[in-house]
Amino acid sequence: MERFTVKAIQNMLSDKQINAAELFDLYSSRITDYDQSFNAFITSDVEPNVEYITDDKNQESLSDAALTGIPYAAKDIFCTQGIRTTCGSKMLENFIPPYDATVIKNLKQQGAVLLGKTNMDEFAMGSSNETSYFGSVHNPWDRERTPGGSSGGSAAAVAAGLAPIALGTDTGGSIRQPAAFTGITGLKPTYGRCSRYGMVAFASSLDQAGILALSAEDTAIFLESMAGFDPLDSTSVEESVPQYSQYLEENIKGKIIGLPKEFFDGSLASPYEALVAESIDSYKKLGIVFKEISLPNIGYSVPTYYVVAPAECSSNLARYDGVRFGYHSKNIEDLDEFYRTNRQIGFGEEVKRRIITGTYVLSAGYYDAYYLKAQKVRQLINQDFERAFESVDIILGPTTQTSAFKLGEKVDDPVSMYMNDIYTISSNLAGLPAISHPIGFVQGLPYGLQLIAPHFKEHDLLNLTHQYQKVTDWHQMMPKLSMSSESNN
Amino acid sequence: MHWETVIGLEIHVQLACDSKIFSSASTVYGKEQNTQASLIDLGYPGVLPVLNKEAVMMAIKFGLAVEAEIADLSIFARKNYFYPDLPKGYQISQYELPIVSHGQLAITLDDGTDKIIGITRAHLEEDAGKSIHDKFSDTTAIDLNRAGTPLLEIVSEPELSSAKEAILYMQKIHQLVRYLKISDGNMQEGSFRCDANVSLKPKENTRLGTRAEIKNINSFRFVESAINFEVDRQKEILEQGGSVVQETRLYDSDAKETRSMRTKEEANDYRYFPDPDLLPVKIDKGIIEKITASLPELFDKKVDRYVSTLSIKRVDAIEIAKNIELAEYFEDALNTYNGNPQLLANWMLTEVMAILNKDKIEIANLSITAQSLSQLIQRIDDGTISSTIAKNIFSQLIESKMDVDELIKEQGLEQISDTTEIEQIVITVLKEHQEQKDQYLAGKEQVLGFLIGKVMQKTQGKANPKLVNDLMVKILSNN
Amino acid sequence: MAITKSDIEHLCGLSKLNLDDDEIPIYLQQMTDILEMIEQLQSADTDEIIPMAHPLDMHQRLREDKVIDTNDRDIYQKNSLSAEEGFYKVPKVIE
């Protein structure tokens, strides 16, 4: 089986080697045949959500739309009109949104067609896709391992060739870490670049919609259509959307990449350290200049995040009470009991844990010491980045400490699970765009490198990654798949 | 022990915006349940708030009218608690950095002196939906049409010392928001709601006593009885050596008492934090200047102007200016009027008010235009018709839209001012009413009215009353 | 700041969650670990630092006061298991 990039598909469509309907069927069948091994999808037996697929005449009118015929998968956190949207939770098991998220609408307008909704950690809370009500996702490289989270389903789907590209969300690393664990490219854009309207909120000041793809080129193609100002989102930015694909071939010679000494403190095990060193070499050969920098407060990222994100989520998830939508227990006569039971049954453990943590840090007597303090430390981290970007164009570091860990390994130790995000969280706190791309394998498992850019410099990230991907082939390596009927359970 | 009453009022004013504060759903009152609740008002997964510009402008208008500080940067915060009429499980309100702070308002006490009441703050927030307990037998029905309606919460300093003062303050605010056209102030429809914080303290203490918050006061009448009941209740507790519990109490207008609400509500820790879906609101000087320039003339200035420029009696000026719509109608009429403004004012306060009260309508729905009224009074002033005839014409105008001059001409209602003609009629009347003539000449002066009345009757009310009076007196004295 | 069982119960009350009796000790241990990790924040020097509520230095955009009429009540209420005659229903609330 072959994995087709979006770029390749565009060529195939324009060469008329295949048409949109056939392409849709091709991927739908792959999902049917292979997904049982991975559980990457929660909902996949969807009708195409664009008209032209069943109506040939319309294909003409959409021929100048940027993404006509391109199938994609979307993390089940994006509201899709008429198509179940669960957020990986029992609470929304049967929820059918009456509207499309803005990014979904944008993609629809450009002709892209939805293949299905991918599995995810419940309400985006998790780093291993093990908290989903719909079961864990299995890493296509090693089914006993996690694909990462919370966009685990999107990552597994793209890595396994079940979708050419997929949407994810990244609040603390939830696109980049799964991309690194599954050997694909994952981009978290600048906060405010893509609309959050219709993207179920976890931590409002950190969440951002992004892309999991096979290459920087594919990412650029999709980002052009996805991004942009949305009047329905107060935090959406009125910055014009560049034609990202036109920046892929810009000259990168002489660009300066900063290496934060806090990221290179020797705590990475040697095989991973070696891969990072090799990728730095590759970039050097492309003409990049490296410089040591310091982000002195970066060590506070994880505690800061685990105050801010739970605080915001504890409030964002208060609307799930079973009245207007969501899980609803019958025959309860007391209002308090009604709310509590709905939420006890509807929510999983990690969600409850974060709600309790969030409620705690906001509560009377603790607000100053925790929430307010965390927002101040957040400012310190932001200032560190601002200072660093005065002398460098891009910052580089590992995406994760290791490659994918085994399923079940960290479920009982939340703090250990949280430490997974140690390299990725700071860019969410500062709202910076960041990308992860594959740089090799350790014992057969993919490993990724992270690049962080100043606000709205996604084109630099894509440019650099594309140039790296022209001289390496890590991103083209595909896991061996077996049909669901062949795999042992 | 001399107890001093300390009252602070929190008034929630629904702002007269067309759409909700954070969504584009309509705010019209009285529609079928849940037909004006958008996805944003329902707190659906994934939706986000966007702030209504008009709500901000109205808040600023209010702030400027009460000489308050308008925050350069203002923040929305989430007030977190669970209740069925609060779909998101939090209310978007303001906590630190409200849009308006440190204002004041003067109330005029019975003895004519002014007392300044401080306004601590006024902030924007969204209204909740409605719970209806008697619709279904075993459940509470929720209607979220009202959820998201823009509210301005106005908080006074605890500087009111009696129920009377509280009412004066409340009335002043009510009048102000109507003057500014930021709210219709309709208490029956819930556009204007008041909570009172009441406490007592020994006169010589500076520290305030424990307060109780009284909710659900939806008329001026209830304010007085609710506060008075509460003051008596607290006094009794304190005089017996007990202490007042800090709690929320509901006013029961049937039993005329306040009752404690379920204290579970008190256990709420609202965990305020800045709403991350909204950004700080920046108000620049340009906006403030623009709004300042557009502020209407307020009540006190209007009254002073009526008195000094139009020479209207102060007590009448106050009556007209009390209601901004009445004042606007009056000023509209004045535009086409050359006569004595007091005369116009008299008509506003007698004939016009009488119709409004009798038909229970607002002046906006009066079928006589300001121009028509002005024309009518002008004709009295220039002697074309008598005031008696004018009243006749007035009632006709209520029924049908006609031009005043045409009506006068058609019905031949012009005043009779011909001295000779009137003299004749006077003489005739005196001949016909010898008895009354003799009574008058004998010193019973009241009988003059009867005789004048007879002349008016003979002329179908058209004789110039003053002339009749003068001529009658002259002729009688010549006898 | 050591967290206790009654703290957890209080927090559950505020956030309308139920924990079974056998769950509470587990949550208590996990919360203790999490709070210990968060405690690291206290060593950061944040004197004179303004809290950062948003990654970007932006101000709130204001929306024109226009009504966009969409009465889709019946579509929306399809997602509710407790709607009747256009109302949402909850267990009786006593005020």
Side-chain angles (χ1 to χ4, degrees):
Chain A
M1 189 173 96
E2 216 188 311
R3 288 189 319 198
F4 302 114
T5 60
V6 169
K7 188 82 180 132
I9 288 172
Q10 281 180 330
N11 291 337
M12 281 157 61
L13 285 169
S14 63
D15 289 349
K16 303 235 192 295
Q17 282 173 46
I18 192 169
N19 71 32
E22 288 162 348
L23 201 49
F24 184 83
D25 287 339
L26 183 147
Y27 279 101
S28 296
S29 309
R30 283 189 182 186
I31 296 168
T32 309
D33 293 340
Y34 294 97
D35 191 42
Q36 249 177 309
S37 314
F38 313 117
N39 199 24
F41 282 85
I42 292 176
T43 300
S44 57
D45 53 348
V46 296
E47 289 300 307
N49 70 338
V50 284
E51 282 161 10
Y52 67 80
I53 288 248
T54 46
D55 172 0
D56 274 336
K57 277 198 287 278
N58 253 330
Q59 249 179 322
E60 296 309 317
S61 64
L62 266 159
S63 61
D64 55 359
L67 303 174
T68 302
I70 311 292
Y72 74 102
K75 183 173 181 179
D76 211 10
I77 200 170
F78 291 98
C79 286
T80 42
Q81 186 170 14
I83 298 172
R84 182 174 73 150
T85 300
T86 70
C87 296
S89 179
K90 184 178 174 71
M91 180 58 85
L92 294 179
E93 189 178 2
N94 299 307
F95 176 64
I96 314 246
Y99 76 109
D100 275 333
T102 298
V103 297
I104 299 284
K105 204 157 63 113
N106 290 349
L107 292 172
K108 215 186 232 184
Q109 271 166 7
Q110 292 304 324
V113 51
L114 186 69
L115 280 169
K117 309 298 290 300
T118 57
N119 205 343
M120 53 181 282
D121 277 305
E122 187 181 3
F123 282 105
M125 300 182 208
S127 309
S128 64
N129 220 133
E130 291 177 281
T131 68
S132 169
Y133 174 69
F134 298 91
S136 300
V137 176
H138 300 258
N139 192 322
W141 292 91
D142 177 344
R143 291 187 53 234
E144 286 173 31
R145 292 180 186 262
T146 162
S150 59
S151 310
S154 284
V158 172
L162 305 186
I165 192 166
L167 298 187
T169 61
D170 191 314
T171 304
S174 292
I175 284 177
R176 291 161 286 158
Q177 182 245 33
F181 279 8
T182 55
I184 61 174
T185 304
L187 173 76
K188 177 197 91 68
T190 309
Y191 183 85
R193 175 78 283 182
C194 296
S195 169
R196 288 189 302 115
Y197 189 81
M199 193 174 103
V200 179
F202 155 27
S204 316
S205 74
L206 302 166
D207 293 342
Q208 188 54 200
I211 297 166
L212 293 107
L214 293 170
S215 67
E217 185 172 38
D218 280 2
T219 307
I221 293 171
F222 242 58
L223 188 62
E224 281 166 14
S225 295
M226 228 176 106
F229 171 68
D230 182 7
L232 292 174
D233 176 357
S234 294
T235 60
S236 166
V237 178
E238 282 178 83
E239 188 90 14
S240 63
V241 181
Q243 288 291 97
Y244 295 107
S245 14
Q246 290 178 6
Y247 287 85
L248 298 172
E249 295 294 350
E250 293 273 289
N251 186 7
I252 65 171
K253 261 197 170 65
K255 279 211 190 296
I256 305 173
I257 293 189
L259 301 174
K261 64 178 207 256
E262 294 81 8
F263 281 176
F264 294 92
D265 59 355
S267 60
L268 224 51
S270 336
Y272 305 109
E273 205 176 14
L275 284 182
V276 174
E278 259 175 55
S279 63
I280 289 177
D281 257 346
S282 302
Y283 274 115
K284 274 191 186 147
K285 289 200 182 86
L286 289 169
I288 300 291
V289 174
F290 284 90
K291 187 174 166 271
E292 192 190 73
I293 57 169
S294 174
L295 301 169
N297 293 290
I298 208 98
Y300 292 114
S301 311
V302 175
T304 302
Y305 177 86
Y306 282 99
V307 169
V308 174
E312 292 179 4
C313 98
S314 69
S315 180
N316 283 332
L317 267 62
R319 66 191 63 198
Y320 301 105
D321 55 17
V323 178
R324 301 162 313 291
F325 46 80
Y327 182 80
H328 167 121
S329 351
K330 297 209 183 339
N331 301 322
I332 298 184
E333 288 180 7
D334 176 69
L335 181 67
D336 188 60
E337 231 6 76
F338 177 71
Y339 283 155
R340 291 204 196 214
T341 310
N342 290 342
R343 291 159 68 79
Q344 174 185 24
I345 298 176
F347 289 145
E349 277 174 29
E350 184 59 33
V351 168
K352 286 187 197 140
R353 212 164 9 243
R354 297 210 192 181
I355 291 176
I356 291 173
T357 307
T359 307
Y360 182 85
V361 303
L362 288 175
S363 58
Y366 296 119
Y367 177 86
D368 283 358
Y370 291 112
Y371 188 77
L372 200 57
K373 181 79 179 177
Q375 294 287 47
K376 288 181 181 177
V377 176
R378 190 174 174 177
Q379 185 70 267
L380 286 178
I381 294 171
N382 189 44
Q383 286 172 357
D384 282 357
F385 276 111
E386 273 176 4
R387 217 171 295 121
F389 282 126
E390 280 166 15
S391 63
V392 303
D393 299 309
I394 298 282
I395 293 172
L396 178 151
T399 307
T400 57
Q401 286 177 311
T402 64
S403 49
F405 48 90
K406 279 202 185 329
L407 290 165
E409 196 178 304
K410 303 194 189 221
V411 281
D412 292 325
D413 187 351
V415 176
S416 157
M417 185 69 88
Y418 296 164
M419 294 314 281
N420 262 294
D421 302 325
I422 200 165
Y423 296 110
T424 49
I425 268 181
S426 50
S427 28
N428 297 87
L429 293 171
L432 299 167
I435 196 168
S436 174
H437 66 71
I439 56 168
F441 291 82
V442 174
Q443 296 182 326
L445 296 169
Y447 188 67
L449 185 78
Q450 192 188 190
L451 301 172
I452 305 168
H455 295 127
F456 301 106
K457 300 264 192 229
E458 288 84 354
H459 52 278
D460 282 341
L461 297 174
L462 294 166
N463 179 205
L464 280 163
T465 304
H466 179 69
Q467 294 305 316
Y468 176 89
Q469 288 177 341
K470 275 168 70 176
V471 299
T472 58
D473 58 2
W474 303 117
H475 62 291
Q476 290 167 336
M477 298 194 169
M478 185 181 166
K480 225 157 74 142
L481 304 188
S482 53
M483 285 249 201
S484 308
S485 50
E486 294 167 11
S487 58
N488 304 322
N489 279 351
Chain B
M1 176 77 87
H2 190 101
W3 296 101
E4 242 175 35
T5 304
V6 176
I7 303 166
L9 291 185
E10 282 170 21
I11 298 177
H12 288 87
V13 176
Q14 265 185 2
L15 296 176
C17 300
D18 293 333
S19 65
K20 305 237 176 127
I21 189 170
F22 296 116
S23 85
S24 300
S26 168
T27 54
V28 171
Y29 179 83
K31 296 294 177 177
E32 199 185 312
Q33 56 276 13
N34 291 307
T35 54
Q36 282 180 179
S38 72
L39 292 173
I40 294 164
D41 305 320
L42 293 170
Y44 252 60
V47 299
L48 296 169
V50 185
L51 182 58
N52 183 329
K53 183 177 185 179
E54 194 58 31
V56 177
M57 300 298 129
M58 289 183 171
I60 295 173
K61 242 190 211 163
F62 176 81
L64 292 171
V66 297
E67 302 170 60
E69 285 164 30
I70 310 295
D72 178 51
L73 219 53
S74 165
I75 308 275
F76 280 97
R78 294 189 185 178
K79 180 180 183 183
N80 297 282
Y81 65 98
F82 282 83
Y83 204 70
D85 63 8
L86 197 67
K88 294 189 293 295
Y90 61 86
Q91 177 196 30
I92 303 178
S93 176
Q94 296 192 288
Y95 186 56
E96 295 166 338
L97 301 183
I99 188 163
V100 168
S101 58
H102 302 120
Q104 63 181 38
L105 196 64
I107 55 174
T108 307
L109 305 175
D110 281 345
D111 62 4
T113 57
D114 275 354
K115 180 175 176 181
I116 306 279
I117 307 295
I119 293 174
T120 319
R121 55 186 275 153
H123 67 253
L124 288 168
E125 60 184 26
E126 55 178 350
D127 208 346
K130 277 212 186 102
S131 306
I132 299 143
H133 305 294
D134 51 9
K135 171 79 190 166
F136 301 116
S137 56
D138 53 356
T139 53
T140 290
I142 306 292
D143 174 13
L144 295 170
N145 278 351
R146 198 180 67 176
T149 303
L151 288 181
L152 186 67
E153 179 176 332
I154 303 166
V155 182
S156 82
E157 291 287 335
E159 291 171 352
L160 299 160
S161 318
S162 66
K164 191 85 222 303
E165 285 185 14
I167 293 177
L168 286 171
Y169 171 82
M170 211 172 133
Q171 284 172 336
K172 201 81 199 254
I173 297 274
H174 187 260
Q175 179 185 76
L176 181 59
V177 300
R178 293 190 59 188
Y179 254 74
L180 295 172
K181 296 197 194 300
I182 63 177
S183 174
D184 63 14
N186 187 328
M187 291 177 90
Q188 279 88 342
E189 291 182 359
S191 312
F192 192 87
R193 316 194 294 251
C194 188
D195 297 336
N197 289 306
V198 181
S199 67
L200 298 181
K201 69 172 178 69
K203 189 166 178 186
E204 58 278 6
N205 279 21
T206 44
R207 207 163 55 100
L208 298 180
T210 308
R211 60 165 206 235
E213 183 185 11
I214 309 171
K215 286 182 113 64
N216 194 33
I217 305 173
N218 53 20
S219 87
F220 290 105
R221 255 188 315 133
F222 295 165
V223 172
E224 182 155 27
S225 49
I227 292 177
N228 286 334
F229 175 88
E230 185 58 22
V231 168
D232 288 341
R233 184 189 77 89
Q234 289 191 14
K235 197 185 264 187
E236 199 179 316
I237 293 174
L238 291 169
E239 282 183 344
Q240 287 175 4
S243 33
V244 172
V245 173
Q246 179 168 336
E247 59 179 351
T248 306
R249 300 177 70 85
L250 270 183
Y251 178 65
D252 181 337
S253 52
D254 294 320
K256 291 205 188 339
E257 61 182 25
T258 64
R259 277 185 289 112
S260 182
M261 279 179 86
R262 285 209 312 183
T263 46
K264 232 179 187 173
E265 293 302 320
E266 271 61 71
N268 249 320
D269 168 8
Y270 295 120
R271 290 154 283 138
Y272 284 99
F273 72 103
D275 192 327
D277 289 330
L278 293 165
L279 300 172
V281 182
K282 184 151 178 61
I283 313 279
D284 62 52
K285 289 211 164 29
I287 295 180
I288 296 189
E289 277 162 14
K290 205 160 144 219
I291 296 180
T292 306
S294 77
L295 281 179
E297 180 183 49
L298 297 181
F299 176 80
D300 293 315
K301 284 224 156 52
K302 199 180 277 296
V303 169
D304 288 343
R305 180 169 67 86
Y306 284 2
V307 169
S308 58
T309 324
L310 303 174
S311 303
I312 291 176
K313 285 186 283 189
R314 179 163 287 272
V315 63
D316 291 342
I318 289 172
E319 270 313 297
I320 294 175
K322 254 188 198 169
N323 177 336
I324 181 65
E325 271 117 42
L326 204 67
E328 282 174 349
Y329 183 97
F330 176 66
E331 289 169 21
D332 208 4
L334 277 175
N335 276 338
T336 51
Y337 180 73
N338 294 324
N340 177 4
Q342 182 67 56
L343 187 57
L344 187 58
N346 291 345
W347 270 75
M348 292 292 301
L349 295 171
T350 53
E351 305 304 315
V352 173
M353 291 294 283
I355 293 291
L356 297 181
N357 288 333
K358 173 166 150 289
D359 294 347
K360 294 203 196 322
I361 53 174
E362 296 294 323
I363 191 145
N365 298 326
L366 184 65
S367 46
I368 302 176
T369 64
Q371 284 71 28
S372 266
L373 183 69
S374 144
Q375 215 184 352
L376 183 64
I377 312 305
Q378 189 77 56
R379 294 288 165 262
I380 303 175
D381 211 77
D382 64 25
T384 310
I385 53 174
S386 68
S387 54
T388 318
I389 292 294
K391 288 191 182 135
N392 169 331
I393 297 175
F394 185 79
S395 3
Q396 288 189 55
L397 288 176
I398 302 274
E399 303 302 321
S400 65
K401 268 188 166 51
M402 274 198 73
D403 178 70
V404 169
D405 286 333
E406 272 174 36
L407 210 155
I408 291 174
K409 198 148 172 226
E410 252 180 52
Q411 298 179 16
L413 298 173
E414 293 88 344
Q415 204 164 215
I416 301 172
S417 297
D418 184 291
T419 320
T420 321
E421 201 181 329
I422 294 181
E423 256 183 18
Q424 285 307 315
I425 301 171
V426 166
I427 290 166
T428 311
V429 162
L430 287 175
K431 272 212 190 96
E432 290 170 0
H433 298 279
Q434 194 68 39
E435 194 191 328
Q436 284 77 7
K437 175 180 163 191
D438 292 338
Q439 282 175 352
Y440 179 80
L441 292 173
K444 202 174 174 195
E445 287 192 3
Q446 310 90 294
V447 133
L448 188 67
F450 173 84
L451 293 167
I452 290 174
K454 287 298 174 192
V455 174
M456 296 305 286
Q457 244 175 29
K458 279 195 187 292
T459 61
Q460 293 96 43
K462 288 189 283 190
N464 183 324
K466 186 167 192 306
L467 255 182
V468 172
N469 185 80
D470 293 345
L471 287 171
M472 178 72 75
V473 168
K474 186 175 121 206
I475 291 171
L476 282 169
S477 61
N478 283 345
N479 267 15
Chain C
M1 225 87 261
I3 188 168
T4 65
K5 177 163 181 261
S6 92
D7 288 332
I8 302 265
E9 282 165 357
H10 173 66
L11 294 169
C12 284
L14 287 177
S15 55
K16 300 296 178 210
L17 292 176
N18 262 349
L19 292 179
D20 293 330
D21 283 336
D22 50 358
E23 283 180 292
I24 294 189
I26 302 174
Y27 274 82
L28 197 50
Q29 181 56 53
Q30 291 169 341
M31 287 300 299
T32 306
D33 293 339
I34 293 170
L35 293 178
E36 201 182 299
M37 185 265 286
I38 292 174
E39 216 48 41
Q40 295 170 39
L41 283 177
Q42 302 310 327
S43 61
D45 180 6
T46 52
D47 281 342
E48 314 286 314
I49 299 290
I50 299 168
M52 180 174 146
H54 279 102
L56 301 167
D57 187 18
M58 274 165 51
H59 299 126
Q60 177 65 32
R61 189 169 29 86
L62 301 177
R63 166 180 59 87
E64 285 305 312
D65 183 28
K66 276 209 186 70
V67 171
I68 297 176
D69 256 322
T70 45
N71 172 18
D72 288 324
R73 179 186 74 188
D74 297 329
I75 298 174
Y76 301 163
Q77 291 192 340
K78 284 209 177 85
N79 272 308
S80 173
L81 289 165
S82 53
E84 192 178 313
E85 292 181 42
F87 288 100
Y88 292 100
K89 296 191 306 183
V90 295
K92 254 280 192 258
V93 178
I94 308 148
E95 244 160 20

